[in-house]
Amino acid sequence: MNLIITQGTKDAIPAIARLLIKTWSESYRGFLPHAFLDHLDMGRQIKRHQSYFEKGISYLVAENDERELLGFASYGESRFERKDSDLELYTLYVEPILHGKGIGKLLLEEMIHKTQEKFHYLDVSVLSRNPYLKFYLKHGFEKIGEEDIDFGEFVEAGLILRKDLSKNV
């Protein structure tokens, strides 16, 4: 399989929304409420990502030769209140059937390549019960804090992870 990683454009938003919903529905089914996962809304996700693009958040997309979206990442200025936090990985999702094939690693490496000269640290907020927490730890992220993640209808425990961008991926 050939993989092409490029800067994401607004044209990719519907595919990004679909992949996000699919990934959440399959990956978090074991611990997030079924009612929440069953009602993830495509229109809402499209609006959310359109808003991100308008705010200047950067996207990388991983596609195959047929231009089908296999994964994506979004990143931008940190939303964390820590003074030393300067870059945040907002999302990193890969087609569930392709987990473990290196697509997430390639997206992460490309993002770091594009940003490491300008930024010192890459932070990410993840659910503490995220089944892919080990991915982040394997790629040099370390726990620096905890936070509650409010979904409106419920609250989940979360972790703040950090990667020092001066270290190799």
Side-chain angles (χ1 to χ4, degrees), residues 101-153:
K101 304 288 186 198
I103 296 170
K105 177 184 178 197
L106 291 172
L107 284 164
L108 180 62
E109 287 174 346
E110 181 64 18
M111 193 213 72
I112 290 170
H113 174 74
K114 289 180 171 291
T115 60
Q116 71 185 22
E117 288 185 19
K118 185 176 177 185
F119 297 99
H120 298 96
Y121 300 107
L122 173 61
D123 294 344
V124 63
S125 173
V126 299
L127 296 169
S128 61
R129 296 192 286 172
N130 184 321
Y132 302 103
L133 177 60
K134 63 186 174 213
F135 168 86
Y136 294 102
L137 300 176
K138 177 181 173 182
H139 293 290
F141 286 84
E142 298 175 350
K143 177 184 164 188
I144 62 165
E146 297 178 0
E147 67 175 354
D148 286 336
I149 301 174
D150 188 347
F151 288 91
E153 303 163 23

Side-chain angles (χ1 to χ4, degrees), residues 18-69:
R18 267 192 302 281
L19 182 56
L20 184 142
I21 290 170
K22 182 177 185 181
T23 303
W24 272 66
S25 295
E26 293 183 22
S27 299
Y28 301 142
R29 180 94 23 212
F31 62 91
L32 291 184
H34 288 246
F36 172 78
L37 294 172
D38 292 341
H39 290 96
L40 291 171
D41 182 70
M42 181 75 164
R44 185 169 177 246
Q45 289 301 323
I46 287 172
K47 285 180 185 175
R48 177 177 169 223
H49 291 280
Q50 284 172 335
S51 170
Y52 285 175
F53 268 99
E54 290 166 8
K55 290 177 183 175
I57 292 173
S58 296
Y59 281 75
L60 291 174
V61 295
E63 299 173 320
N64 61 17
D65 290 332
E66 289 79 42
R67 308 294 292 175
E68 295 171 314
L69 184 70

